[in-house]
Structure formats: C-alpha cells, structure tokens
Amino acid sequence: AALAAGGAWASEELVKMSANPKDWVMPAGDYANTRYSKLNQITAQNVGKLQVAWTFSTGVLRGHEGGPLIVGNMMYVHTPFPNKVYAIDLAQDNKIVWRYEPKQDPNVIPVMCCDTVNRGVAYGDGKIFLHQADDKLVAIDAKTGQHVWTAVNGDPSKGQTGTSAPLVVKDKVLVGTSGGEFGVQCSMTAYDIKSGKQVWKAYSEGPDDQILFDANTTSLGKPVGKDSSLKTWQGDQWKTGGGCTWGWISYDPQLDMVYYGSGNPSTWNPKQRPGDNKWSMTIFARAADTGVAKWVYQMTPHDEWDYDGVNEMILSDQAINGQPRKLLTHFDRNGLAYTLDRTNGELLVAEKYDPKVNWTTGVDMDKNSATYGRPKVVDQYSTDKQGEDVNTKGICPAALGTKDEQPAAYSPDTQLFYVPTNHVCMDYEPFKVSYTAGQPYVGATLSMYPPPGESHMGNFIAWDGKTGKIAWSNKEPFSVWSGALATAGGVVFYGTLEGYLKAVDAKTGKELYKFKTPSGIIGNVTTYENGGKQYVAVLSGVGGWAGIGLAAGLTDPTAGLGAVGGYAALSNYTALGGTLTVFSLPQQ
Amino acid sequence: AALAAGGAWASEELVKMSANPKDWVMPAGDYANTRYSKLNQITAQNVGKLQVAWTFSTGVLRGHEGGPLIVGNMMYVHTPFPNKVYAIDLAQDNKIVWRYEPKQDPNVIPVMCCDTVNRGVAYGDGKIFLHQADDKLVAIDAKTGQHVWTAVNGDPSKGQTGTSAPLVVKDKVLVGTSGGEFGVQCSMTAYDIKSGKQVWKAYSEGPDDQILFDANTTSLGKPVGKDSSLKTWQGDQWKTGGGCTWGWISYDPQLDMVYYGSGNPSTWNPKQRPGDNKWSMTIFARAADTGVAKWVYQMTPHDEWDYDGVNEMILSDQAINGQPRKLLTHFDRNGLAYTLDRTNGELLVAEKYDPKVNWTTGVDMDKNSATYGRPKVVDQYSTDKQGEDVNTKGICPAALGTKDEQPAAYSPDTQLFYVPTNHVCMDYEPFKVSYTAGQPYVGATLSMYPPPGESHMGNFIAWDGKTGKIAWSNKEPFSVWSGALATAGGVVFYGTLEGYLKAVDAKTGKELYKFKTPSGIIGNVTTYENGGKQYVAVLSGVGGWAGIGLAAGLTDPTAGLGAVGGYAALSNYTALGGTLTVFSLPQQ
Ligand SMILES: O=C(O)c1cc(C(=O)O)c2c(n1)C(=O)C(=O)c1cc(C(=O)O)[nH]c1-2
Ligand SMILES: O=C(O)c1cc(C(=O)O)c2c(n1)C(=O)C(=O)c1cc(C(=O)O)[nH]c1-2
C-alpha cells in the first residue's frame, strides 16, 4: 500500500506514540487493546498512598464511558450526549484550551438503547475524531478545536446512532454503528482521514459484496463459500438484521488487519428469525485497506439471549503448548472467553469465565464434528425452544452478559487478563414484534437478578487465556462496568458502579487502595505521565445499560430492557454526574 | 414566652448542638453566622497535607450554593432546582439513607433572577426544612425522608421564588422570599415548626401593620414614627417595591432578636421610584416571637445601583474603645462594612472594604447632621442624577457589590472577619419599564469589568470590624463567590470560581493549600468531626449570578444582568456540575 499523501500514515505516528507510556493516544492505550501501561512509578507497594491530584467536572450528567486521551501536554475529555469535547492543557494548571460542543437533535436520545454514552474520541493526523450520538463522525483540529470535516455515518431517524470510539488506522478512521434494538443492518466503515470521504463499508449481514467477503474468507479454517450470510436468514430479514458494531476495534499493524465483533441479530425474539443469522455475533478479521474479511468466527449462532459479540479483541503474543502464537482473546457476552490465533482465526480455547454460565455446556472443540466451534445449547435455557410468550427463567448470564462493553486489560508481565464482569442471571420472554424504521424492534421482556443464592452482581477476575482458567476472582456488589488498566507497577485498576476506584495486586487480586469518586464509574481507567509524575485518571458518571435506571430516571423493574430492577439498589450509593478524577502519589 | 408543646424549643437544642463543633447544624454553623469552628485538628502547620477523603456528585448541574448540614452521623446535602436533598450516613461508608426530590414546575426557572441556586436546608425538631425554588417551605422527617408539611410562602407566577436558607428559631421556621427583579413586595415569614402554619409575616415596605413596626421601632436611636415606609414611596409603588429577603438570617438567643437585610427596591431604574424607598436596603432587628421590629437601619436609601442589603449579619462580642459591645457586622453590597451595636442599632463603624468603591465618599457619621448615617453619593456615579437612558460609566462596585450572598466568617481568636469579595465595576443605564406581575421589572442595562488598570476581579480579605480596616488582602482572578470558614486551627478556607478550595493562614493570609475541585465553587466551606477525624467539606458547581453565563448557557455580554460579559473568561477554567468534596488529613 502507498503512503498517504502528505507523509507517513497517522497510524505509524500512533504506533510510535503508543509505545511511549507517557501518552495515552487511543481509547484502549494501544492498537492491541491491552489497556496496559509500562509506567511503574505507582507500584503495588506504594499505591496505598495514592491521592486525588485534581478533578474536572464535564458539565454533563448521564453515563460517562471511555476515558481521556493524553497527547503530550494535552488531555482530551469527551462526554455522553451532547458529546462535548474539552482540550485541557496539563502544563498550564489544566486550563481549558478549547471546548467543542456539537449541535445535535435531542431526538436521538430515545433511539439510544442503553443510555446516551460515548466510549471516547480518537487522535491522529493532528485531529480529534468524535463519533457523535447522531452517528456523525467529526474531525476537529486538535490544537484549535476548529471543525475540519463531518462524515454522515448513519441516520438516527432509522435507528442508527453512535456510541463507539473511532479507531485511526493508517490513512483511515474506522467507525461502527449502533442500532441492534432498532433493526439496523449494521456496518463498519472506513473514512479517509484527510477528507472524511468513505473508503470502504462492510456490513455484518447481507450479500457478499456488502459484507466484503471473498473466496479467501474463512471460518474455522474453511472458506465460508458464497452467500454465507444470506443463506442463514429468512427472506430479506437480513436487511433489518442488526449485528451492530458498537464495540471496540483492534488493529495489528504487522498483519495489517482490524478486528472487531458484531452484535445481536434483530429482533430479540429468536422465533421470528430462523437460521444462524450470520454474521451477527461474529468476530471479524478484515484487511485494513479494503475491509475484505480474512476470517470470521460466529460465537453465538441464532442468538436467543442478546449476547452481542462486540466486546474487545485483545491481541497478545503468548506461547501455547510451548509454541509462540499471535493470539486474540475475547470475553464474550455469552459467558465464554475465546482465545484464537489471530492470523487465521483458529479456535484455541473457549471456556466459561463465570462458572454460573448455564445456557451452554461449552463449545464443541472437536474439529471433525459437524458442530465444531458451536456452543452446545441447554434446552431449558433456550428461549427459542421454550418459545414465544413463554418466560424462560434463570438463564445465566443475563442479556448484558458475563461482560459487556467494559474492556478488560492484559498484562504481558503476568500473562493474565483482568476482566470486569457481570454476575447476573435473567428471565427472558420473547414476543412477536413488527419492524418500523426508527422504532424499537426488541420483542422480549426481561428481568435481571444475581445468580440463585448469591447477592453480588459482579466479579473482577484475572484470567489465563492460554488455559482458559480463572487465576483469581474478587466479588463486587454490583457488576464491574468500568474498563480495567494493568500497569508495569504490578497494579491493576478498575472502577465500581458505586463509584470506587480500586487498585489491586496484579498477581493476587489483593485490594491495595480504594477511593470513592463523585459518581458510579462506567469509564475506563487511564494512566499517563506528566512533568515526571505518573497519574491515573478515570471518568465517573453512572449510567450505561446497568445504570440506566439512574441515568434516565426509570423505576419500572422491567424498564431499561430489564436492567432497572436488577440494579435498583445502586441509588443507595450514588447519583449522576460526570467528573474526571486524577490520582497521583503525594509529593515526596 | 411559653415552651412549645412537646418540650423545649428546637432552638435550644440547636444552641446546644452548635456548641458541639463535631456537628454543623445550621447553614452558617451557628446563630451568630460566624462560620467559625472550634475544631483544631487541621492547623496552619499541617493543612498543607490535606487530602481528598471522599466525593459525592449531586446529580444536578447548575450553581451549588450553601453547604451540607452534619447532625451526628448524618449529612444532609441539598441541590439547586429541582432541590434534591440527600441524607448520607457517614458511619456507613456514606451510603445514601434517603433522597427527597420535590416535584416543581420548571416554569419557576425563568423567574429566578440569578441562577437556580439554593443556599441550604435547616435542621430542627427532628426535621429538615427545605425552601424550594417555587417558594414553598417543606418539612421532611430527618430520619426517614418522609414529607411532614408544606407551607406556601409565595407564588412563582407573581415572581416570588425561594433561594434562601430557612432558620429555625424557637418553635418557628423563618424564611424569606426572592423577587426583587420582579417587583415583589417581599417579606420575612415565621411558620410554626410543628404544623407549618404561619405565625407572623413582616413585609419590607408598606403600612406599619404589614411591616410590623410599632411605636418603639427605632432607627439610629430615634423612633421611626408612623408610616415610615409609606412616606418614602410615590403612591402605591411600595406594593411592587422589592426589598426582598433572600439573604441570611441571624439570631441572638439572649436578646431574642433575629437580624436580616432587605434587598433592592424595584425597579432598578431609580428615576421611576422617587424617595428613600424604605425599608428596602435595610438591616432589620425583629423580635423572634412577634416579628415586631426593634430597630432598623437603611444603608442605601433610594438605591441607584442594585446594592441589595441582604448580606449576612455576623454577631460578635468585641470591645470597642475598651468597652465590651454586642456587635453586628455586615459587609454590604454597596462596598461599605458596617459595625453596629446589635442591641439598639447604634452605628459604630462604616468603612469601605474595597478602596476602589467610588459611588460614595463614605457615610455621614455626624450624629447631629441631618444626613446622619446616610452615604454621601458622588454625582458622577449617581444613575439617578445622570438620568434615564444615560449610561453611567465606571461605577465601583458593580451591581453584584463588593460582596454578594457569599458569607464571610469571623474568628474570635483573631477578632478578624474573613471576607470573600468582588472587585468589579460597572456601566449602568436605567430605562423606563412598566410592571406586569411575574415579568422581569428591571429597567437597567449593565456591563461589568475589573476596576480600571486592574485585571483581578476578586479579593479575599481579613477585616477588623472594630476599626474598619483591612488587615490583609489576597488577590483572586475572579470574584470569590464562596462562603468562608474560620477554624480554631488558625486556618481559613474559601473556594474560588475556577474551582480551587484554598486554605490560608488566619493571621497573615498566606496560602497554605489549594486543590482543584470538579467545578467552580460558589458553595460555603463547612467543617465537622466524625470518627475522631476533622473533615472539611465544600460543594462545587459553578453558577450563581457571577457564573450565570456558564450555568444558563448565556453568551451575550449584557445578559445575566451584565454578569455574562464580566465573567466570560470563567469558561476557560471550569464547567458545570454539583459535587461535594470532603477533605481530611492523611492517616498517620
Ligand atoms: O445492538 C446495539 O446496537 C447496541 C448498542 C449499544 C450501545 O451503542 O451503547 C449497546 C448494546 N447494543 C447492548 O446490547 C448493550 O448491552 C449495551 C450496553 C451499553 C452500555 O454502554 O452500557 N451499550 C450497549
Ligand atoms: O432581589 C432579589 O430578589 C434577589 C434574589 C436573588 C436570589 O434569590 O438569588 C439574588 C439577588 N436578588 C441579587 O441581587 C443578587 O445579586 C444575587 C446573587 C445571587 C446568587 O445566588 O449568586 N442571587 C441573587
């Protein structure tokens, strides 16, 4: 591939910058989505002395996901709708250098399924890229805050919205779409970084020229063949098929491939859409330049539980059975953690990362089996088998999965993944719905609760992706809806829905520090260095799907797609409000 | 007076409780409005080590005035409109025990002149008293959060609103009214603490039976005589005369008198309302049981600048010329600090507390003069003399005064007052308006800016009330819109509009500590002790009149009655958001 006009690719700059642990230049810290930092001033020994260094209110109330970017002395802080962006000068007493506030039609709010969240901005080519709630992608001059270009990625009046963070890859900006609860045919799209013109668009379902599959596209080592998606849908149901792309994107610069997952097939009523509903619930490995799929793997064919497959793909290089492998590890909503070979999509490990997962007995790992790679579904928890208008009870995990969007971290030091998890089960009753553009297309009533006999709704776990085993697990009263951070100091950080920032020992999980931030944390912990000092930063601001009751002021237990009842007790601990809290060690 | 049914007066309990520095049982800490605490764990020596102990977001964005109450293990946190109240258990990891959220018609918002602020709740008789924006006074069970009674104090459709903190006095709850920019005939009202029934109501202007004046009511030592108010208004202009009572109330249990000030006469166009406009701009000393005025003192007769007289009355016992006196000290908006004998209203000291004050050359202190006690007005800055539709320029202070609602503190240790001040001048152009109930009745266009040749808009000063002299003065880039706290540790605390909590040496003003809270501070600093540890707490959440540009999203420089332009640079430092930040010394 030729260099982009005007010099090296933005991604080359980003690879260089992300190798410098002082900065935090992309939402996940690096292209591999490890959320690991080489900074080691803060250690397991001294983290107990951590203090709040400074704080910053964003001026927005609802759920604050993602975290700030740090590029040199500049910090970029984003908010949920209306998606403000602040540029803060760390060298000038955190003065606000510019603020950007898009004008957006508030009618987008009711089209957002799971709070008005936004998972962060991207940096590259001297610009900040903001994925607005109204599914516009905007480029802003990073120095001045001036608007550079806008790309229209979707149309909220058709149920398309934006919550995901863009990723800058080479001379492109990649961005997904939300709308799985509105019957959107979702896609991943690449825009030219200079002009905002569309370069490629890859749908999750549809004809091969829309999903960008070719003769070389494989699944589990075998070519998928022609019309691999169309064949798994009845009629043209794929046109309202969901498979949304609202999660995280990873990139391997050596292999030149991007990785991401697709969400639930629409509707949530499985009876209404017979077939495997490909390629919903799928990991995609696509060529960065063309978008053509190299390999795919569908984790939950014919979803019956809303187990979106969008959770992050963490790229690591580890040895399995003594063999160095280029791995992709993925903690799926369905409760299974997958380790694949990211060069070719070979399935290496698939294990439950919460022992309470009961809808499946596991994945068929027999390469010679006709159902190789498919989860074995337990009839009792099959909402399709139980049927329409039947309330299937006690399914674990709940629709928000053993993990949702909250990203895990990976430390090469311990070779462990640090995973914020949900420990929640559900009742699920599908019912018939019909599709109207821009209207909810859900077709199920849910309620959520902790597993029988237990009262805690979350665990923060360490996971060995080579063996598929939990190394240690810490109980949390609520689901851990915050992204983790692993550091070379041997400390792992995460936030809790009540609002605690916690630091634990990477090896043992022992709690070393906690601090109650102003509001529940659904943001992702970040670290950076400035003026010779390591800082840890986190956005609080309760919300997201788990916090939708507080965020949207709902009280009916089945509201918020069933989350309101499950997390009702949260209101005893916290209230809304977006604040960045920045920590450091005290002056010596 | 007989004891209230059911036992001792609530105020006896409060006097006892406010003598215990572990609690903070009324908005100003004590009845004397000193905002002084005997706690001395945090000292000038160790305050530099202060840390943030915990934080709490209120879930409300606009200006957060006042501060929490602490009663034993319970903390009560209030918010601006919609006036939520949280009861937080300090002994249970700051769990929210109850939350109270009144339903109020949002149409009250445009009737509030200076942001949707609320200066705090009151405690007494096992109840929390909330003065709602819609000018209802509500009693809430302090243990359960259950509603007990509601008293309708005013009608927002007529421009009456509520921002001030109630005060519990004996078996009554006293509360004022806002509406000086809407031509309200304002009053102070006492309600029965058990039932919420009205006990007395004292207007600021009108016939003697409405203002509760009798033959013994004096001003500067002389009986005011009959119809003292009516005689100073043209026709029945007193009926739309303002004199609102939106500031702080003090109480002297020995003298059994309450003290408070009245605000500007309506309209802001002085040409339209000839006369002294009594008793606007007046200090009132009233009998607690009956409301009858013992003495009054009008500071700014015939106001031409909106210098509301509502600022707090701080009651202290100090010796003047070797004589122990029961004093009342008041830092008026007009730029003069007054010391009076609170037993009889004798005027002892009246001096400028900002040397830039230029509209007056001072108060006539000659007891034999016909203008005794009146400020001598400089024609050049008289908006009445300059006339309607003339822009009178360079008046110091601006309409928001050398000090506005932000309360000062008094330390008996240093015998100094610690005063958050504004250092702002203005242009003022009066114009003709006509009165319509519930509509703004302002009649002036303003702009605000720092004094000529200077760029700082605030000072934090120490004041000797016996001599009328500044002991020390610290410059601040913006007006100090936060209430001060003085402590026995020799430390004085205040907040800044950019969001810093600052600790300074009570003797010298030397800055000992600062911390950037999430948002600009217009709240009042509070201290308490829990579990053997001293805490300092402050609400941030920029807004109020100075922060109205940010709070209401205004950008026209003359909007917000002229404050928007003056404080435009604030947006480079902070954004909205209500958060309580609580500080303590680190674990030893
Ligand atoms: O299918 C979709 O388009 C879609 C979008 C989103 C979103 O954009 O936030 C969520 C989900 N689904 C979803 O299933 C889900 O669990 C979820 C949680 C959250 C969140 O931010 O807490 N968003 C979403
Ligand atoms: O005359 C009135 O009724 C009235 C009410 C209020 C209020 O209730 O907040 C203010 C004022 N006036 C006023 O003049 C003023 O400077 C002011 C500042 C503030 C504030 O909270 O920052 N309120 C008010």
Side-chain angles (χ1 to χ4, degrees):
Chain A
L3 284 186
W9 287 319
S11 54
E12 294 179 359
E13 182 198 1
L14 288 175
V15 168
K16 221 178 282 166
M17 292 174 82
S18 66
N20 172 5
K22 297 185 183 182
D23 291 339
W24 189 272
V25 290
M26 49 186 98
D30 57 27
Y31 275 131
N33 262 268
T34 62
R35 306 193 52 76
Y36 169 80
S37 167
K38 290 195 207 92
L39 294 181
N40 59 5
Q41 226 176 66
I42 298 170
T43 65
Q45 284 67 49
N46 64 24
V47 69
K49 297 215 171 78
L50 219 56
Q51 289 188 1
V52 180
W54 57 281
T55 53
F56 175 75
S57 177
T58 67
V60 179
L61 289 179
R62 292 180 63 163
H64 280 59
E65 291 183 352
L69 297 185
I70 293 93
V71 183
N73 282 327
M74 296 303 298
M75 176 185 272
Y76 301 96
V77 179
H78 73 287
T79 76
F81 182 90
N83 305 129
K84 303 188 191 203
V85 183
Y86 297 93
I88 292 175
D89 190 338
L90 302 173
Q92 264 198 78
D93 262 341
N94 314 321
K95 206 178 151 168
I96 301 170
V97 177
W98 55 257
R99 54 174 87 203
Y100 181 86
E101 182 172 344
K103 295 237 175 311
Q104 291 184 76
D105 186 342
N107 282 326
V108 71
I109 296 174
V111 196
M112 304 185 79
C113 73
C114 309
D115 199 6
T116 56
V117 294
N118 184 288
R119 293 186 196 87
V121 292
Y123 171 83
D125 195 38
K127 295 190 268 282
I128 292 291
F129 300 97
L130 169 66
H131 187 195
Q132 297 183 178
D134 62 7
D135 209 15
K136 288 186 176 125
L137 177 68
V138 171
I140 306 162
D141 186 293
K143 278 225 181 63
T144 64
Q146 294 300 306
H147 173 267
V148 182
W149 54 252
T150 295
V152 178
N153 191 53
D155 178 354
S157 77
K158 300 192 175 123
Q160 293 162 342
T161 57
T163 64
S164 59
L167 191 77
V168 169
V169 171
K170 305 175 94 172
D171 53 351
K172 299 170 191 65
V173 189
L174 268 59
V175 73
T177 296
S178 302
E181 281 62 59
F182 295 84
V184 173
Q185 182 202 1
C186 279
S187 56
M188 178 62 63
T189 312
Y191 294 94
D192 179 71
I193 199 167
K194 299 280 181 207
S195 66
K197 294 230 166 69
Q198 184 179 312
V199 182
W200 55 257
K201 190 176 208 73
Y203 288 91
S204 298
E205 56 272 305
D208 291 346
D209 61 343
Q210 289 193 25
I211 61 176
L212 305 189
F213 277 30
D214 70 10
N216 300 317
T217 305
T218 62
S219 181
L220 294 171
K222 296 199 181 113
V224 294
K226 259 181 75 83
D227 292 335
S228 60
S229 168
L230 290 183
K231 282 192 285 195
T232 65
W233 292 90
Q234 208 169 55
D236 58 5
Q237 285 189 340
W238 57 270
K239 290 188 176 166
T240 55
C244 291
T245 47
W246 57 276
W248 306 92
I249 316 168
S250 305
Y251 174 57
D252 182 325
Q254 273 75 47
L255 299 174
D256 204 15
M257 291 211 292
V258 294
Y259 303 92
Y260 66 91
S262 60
N264 63 293
S266 310
T267 125
W268 289 19
N269 176 356
K271 276 280 181 231
Q272 268 182 264
R273 43 164 174 75
D276 272 0
N277 310 133
K278 283 176 178 158
W279 294 97
S280 69
M281 307 308 217
T282 294
I283 300 174
F284 290 89
R286 293 185 182 275
D289 282 326
T290 60
V292 171
K294 171 125 199 222
W295 60 261
V296 287
Y297 171 60
Q298 188 182 39
M299 294 158 291
T300 314
H302 187 63
D303 170 61
E304 311 169 43
W305 312 271
D306 186 45
Y307 292 151
D308 293 47
V310 305
N311 293 353
E312 73 288 355
M313 313 295 159
I314 304 179
L315 315 185
S316 71
D317 294 348
Q318 298 182 66
I320 293 212
N321 299 329
Q323 276 241 249
R325 302 290 290 253
K326 287 180 181 293
L327 301 178
L328 176 156
T329 302
H330 168 78
F331 298 89
D332 199 61
R333 284 257 282 269
N334 71 14
L336 298 165
Y338 298 86
T339 305
L340 296 96
D341 182 317
R342 72 176 175 274
T343 64
N344 57 15
E346 183 188 346
L347 182 61
L348 304 172
V349 180
E351 293 292 342
K352 297 179 183 180
Y353 60 105
D354 182 343
K356 294 287 169 185
V357 171
N358 65 10
W359 68 276
T360 178
T361 53
V363 174
D364 182 348
M365 297 298 281
D366 177 0
K367 291 199 179 178
N368 302 316
S369 161
T371 57
Y372 173 48
R374 290 178 80 99
K376 290 164 274 183
V377 176
V378 175
D379 284 357
Q380 182 189 349
Y381 302 116
S382 162
T383 71
D384 189 294
K385 287 247 164 58
Q386 301 301 320
E388 253 171 28
D389 302 319
V390 174
N391 195 3
T392 301
K393 297 200 172 180
I395 308 165
C396 308
L400 36 66
T402 302
K403 193 179 87 65
D404 200 285
E405 60 79 35
Q406 60 273 36
Y410 170 72
S411 166
D413 305 330
T414 58
Q415 298 206 346
L416 290 174
F417 295 86
Y418 300 97
V419 196
T421 75
N422 313 326
H423 190 62
V424 187
C425 304
M426 68 173 167
D427 302 344
Y428 190 112
E429 179 170 338
F431 59 85
K432 201 169 223 83
V433 276
S434 58
Y435 174 80
T436 310
Q439 293 301 316
Y441 187 50
V442 175
T445 307
L446 278 67
S447 57
M448 300 184 187
Y449 41 81
E454 297 191 291
S455 61
H456 68 293
M457 292 176 76
N459 295 296
F460 187 74
I461 71 167
W463 177 259
D464 183 334
K466 303 183 293 292
T467 58
K469 292 210 157 53
I470 293 174
W472 51 256
S473 177
N474 289 353
K475 286 183 193 177
E476 284 290 347
F478 296 98
S479 300
V480 186
W481 213 267
S482 143
L485 168 73
T487 69
V491 189
V492 173
F493 297 89
Y494 66 98
T496 75
L497 275 177
E498 309 105 290
Y500 288 104
L501 175 88
K502 293 196 174 179
V504 298
D505 188 303
K507 291 210 193 77
T508 63
K510 191 181 167 218
E511 189 174 298
L512 304 170
Y513 175 77
K514 71 170 179 176
F515 176 86
K516 185 89 187 272
T517 70
S519 176
I521 301 179
I522 61 168
N524 306 333
V525 191
T526 302
T527 190
Y528 65 95
E529 185 182 312
N530 193 269
K533 206 163 182 159
Q534 183 182 357
Y535 292 89
V536 171
V538 71
L539 277 173
S540 45
V542 74
W545 191 4
I548 190 69
L550 281 172
L554 308 173
T555 49
D556 171 359
T558 62
L561 306 168
V564 171
Y567 295 86
L570 248 188
S571 69
N572 299 330
Y573 297 90
T574 196
L576 299 185
T579 307
L580 184 79
T581 307
V582 182
F583 301 81
S584 66
L585 292 172
Q587 226 55 25
Q588 295 304 350
Chain B
L3 286 186
W9 287 319
S11 54
E12 294 179 0
E13 182 198 1
L14 288 174
V15 167
K16 221 177 283 166
M17 291 175 82
S18 67
N20 172 5
K22 296 185 184 183
D23 289 340
W24 190 272
V25 289
M26 47 187 99
D30 56 28
Y31 275 131
N33 262 267
T34 62
R35 306 191 54 74
Y36 168 80
S37 168
K38 290 194 208 94
L39 294 181
N40 60 4
Q41 223 176 67
I42 298 170
T43 65
Q45 284 66 51
N46 65 24
V47 68
K49 295 215 171 78
L50 219 56
Q51 289 188 3
V52 181
W54 57 281
T55 54
F56 175 74
S57 177
T58 67
V60 179
L61 289 179
R62 292 180 65 164
H64 280 60
E65 290 184 350
L69 298 186
I70 293 92
V71 184
N73 283 327
M74 295 303 299
M75 175 185 272
Y76 301 96
V77 179
H78 72 287
T79 76
F81 182 89
N83 305 130
K84 302 187 193 204
V85 183
Y86 297 92
I88 292 174
D89 190 338
L90 303 173
Q92 262 198 80
D93 261 342
N94 313 320
K95 207 178 150 170
I96 301 171
V97 176
W98 53 258
R99 54 174 85 203
Y100 182 85
E101 183 171 345
K103 296 239 174 312
Q104 291 184 76
D105 186 343
N107 283 327
V108 71
I109 295 173
V111 196
M112 305 186 79
C113 73
C114 310
D115 199 5
T116 55
V117 293
N118 184 290
R119 293 185 196 88
V121 292
Y123 171 82
D125 195 37
K127 295 189 268 279
I128 293 292
F129 301 97
L130 168 68
H131 187 194
Q132 296 183 179
D134 62 7
D135 208 15
K136 289 189 175 120
L137 177 67
V138 171
I140 306 162
D141 186 291
K143 277 225 183 65
T144 64
Q146 294 300 306
H147 172 269
V148 182
W149 52 253
T150 296
V152 177
N153 191 52
D155 177 355
S157 77
K158 300 191 173 121
Q160 292 161 345
T161 56
T163 64
S164 59
L167 191 75
V168 170
V169 172
K170 304 175 93 172
D171 53 351
K172 300 170 191 66
V173 189
L174 270 60
V175 73
T177 296
S178 302
E181 282 61 59
F182 295 83
V184 172
Q185 181 201 2
C186 279
S187 57
M188 178 63 63
T189 312
Y191 294 94
D192 179 71
I193 199 167
K194 298 280 181 206
S195 66
K197 293 228 165 70
Q198 184 180 311
V199 181
W200 55 257
K201 189 177 209 74
Y203 288 90
S204 298
E205 56 273 305
D208 291 345
D209 61 343
Q210 289 192 25
I211 63 176
L212 305 189
F213 277 29
D214 70 11
N216 300 317
T217 306
T218 63
S219 181
L220 294 171
K222 296 198 182 118
V224 295
K226 262 183 70 85
D227 293 335
S228 61
S229 167
L230 290 182
K231 284 193 280 198
T232 65
W233 291 91
Q234 211 170 54
D236 58 5
Q237 284 189 340
W238 57 270
K239 290 187 177 167
T240 55
C244 291
T245 47
W246 56 277
W248 305 93
I249 316 168
S250 305
Y251 174 56
D252 183 326
Q254 272 76 48
L255 299 174
D256 203 14
M257 291 212 293
V258 294
Y259 303 91
Y260 67 91
S262 60
N264 64 291
S266 311
T267 123
W268 289 19
N269 176 356
K271 276 281 182 232
Q272 268 182 262
R273 43 165 174 75
D276 272 359
N277 310 133
K278 281 175 178 156
W279 295 95
S280 70
M281 307 308 217
T282 294
I283 301 175
F284 290 90
R286 294 186 182 273
D289 282 326
T290 61
V292 171
K294 170 127 201 219
W295 60 261
V296 288
Y297 171 60
Q298 189 182 40
M299 294 158 293
T300 314
H302 188 63
D303 170 62
E304 312 170 42
W305 313 271
D306 186 45
Y307 292 152
D308 294 47
V310 304
N311 294 353
E312 73 288 355
M313 313 297 159
I314 305 179
L315 314 185
S316 71
D317 294 348
Q318 299 183 64
I320 293 210
N321 300 328
Q323 278 242 245
R325 299 292 289 252
K326 286 181 181 294
L327 301 178
L328 176 156
T329 302
H330 167 78
F331 298 89
D332 199 60
R333 283 258 283 268
N334 71 15
L336 299 165
Y338 298 88
T339 306
L340 297 97
D341 183 318
R342 73 176 175 275
T343 64
N344 57 17
E346 182 187 346
L347 182 61
L348 304 172
V349 179
E351 294 291 343
K352 297 180 183 180
Y353 61 104
D354 182 342
K356 294 287 168 184
V357 172
N358 65 10
W359 69 276
T360 179
T361 54
V363 174
D364 182 349
M365 297 298 282
D366 178 359
K367 292 200 175 178
N368 302 316
S369 162
T371 58
Y372 172 49
R374 290 179 79 98
K376 291 164 273 185
V377 176
V378 176
D379 284 357
Q380 183 188 348
Y381 302 115
S382 162
T383 70
D384 189 294
K385 288 247 163 55
Q386 301 300 319
E388 253 170 26
D389 302 321
V390 175
N391 194 3
T392 301
K393 296 198 174 184
I395 308 165
C396 308
L400 35 69
T402 302
K403 192 179 87 64
D404 201 285
E405 60 79 35
Q406 60 272 37
Y410 169 72
S411 166
D413 305 329
T414 58
Q415 298 207 345
L416 291 174
F417 294 85
Y418 299 99
V419 196
T421 74
N422 312 325
H423 190 61
V424 187
C425 304
M426 69 174 166
D427 302 344
Y428 190 112
E429 181 170 338
F431 59 84
K432 202 170 222 82
V433 275
S434 57
Y435 173 81
T436 310
Q439 293 301 314
Y441 188 50
V442 175
T445 307
L446 278 68
S447 56
M448 300 185 188
Y449 41 81
E454 296 192 291
S455 62
H456 69 291
M457 293 176 75
N459 295 297
F460 187 77
I461 71 167
W463 177 259
D464 183 333
K466 304 182 292 290
T467 59
K469 290 209 159 53
I470 292 173
W472 51 255
S473 176
N474 289 353
K475 286 183 192 177
E476 283 290 346
F478 296 98
S479 300
V480 186
W481 212 267
S482 144
L485 168 73
T487 69
V491 189
V492 173
F493 296 89
Y494 66 97
T496 76
L497 275 177
E498 310 106 290
Y500 287 104
L501 174 89
K502 293 196 174 180
V504 299
D505 188 303
K507 293 210 190 76
T508 63
K510 190 180 165 218
E511 189 173 299
L512 303 171
Y513 174 76
K514 72 170 177 176
F515 176 86
K516 186 89 186 276
T517 69
S519 176
I521 300 179
I522 62 169
N524 306 334
V525 192
T526 303
T527 191
Y528 65 96
E529 186 182 310
N530 193 270
K533 205 163 183 160
Q534 183 182 358
Y535 293 89
V536 170
V538 70
L539 276 173
S540 45
V542 73
W545 191 3
I548 189 69
L550 281 172
L554 308 172
T555 49
D556 171 0
T558 63
L561 305 168
V564 172
Y567 295 85
L570 249 189
S571 69
N572 300 330
Y573 297 92
T574 195
L576 299 184
T579 307
L580 184 79
T581 306
V582 182
F583 301 81
S584 66
L585 292 172
Q587 226 55 24
Q588 294 305 347

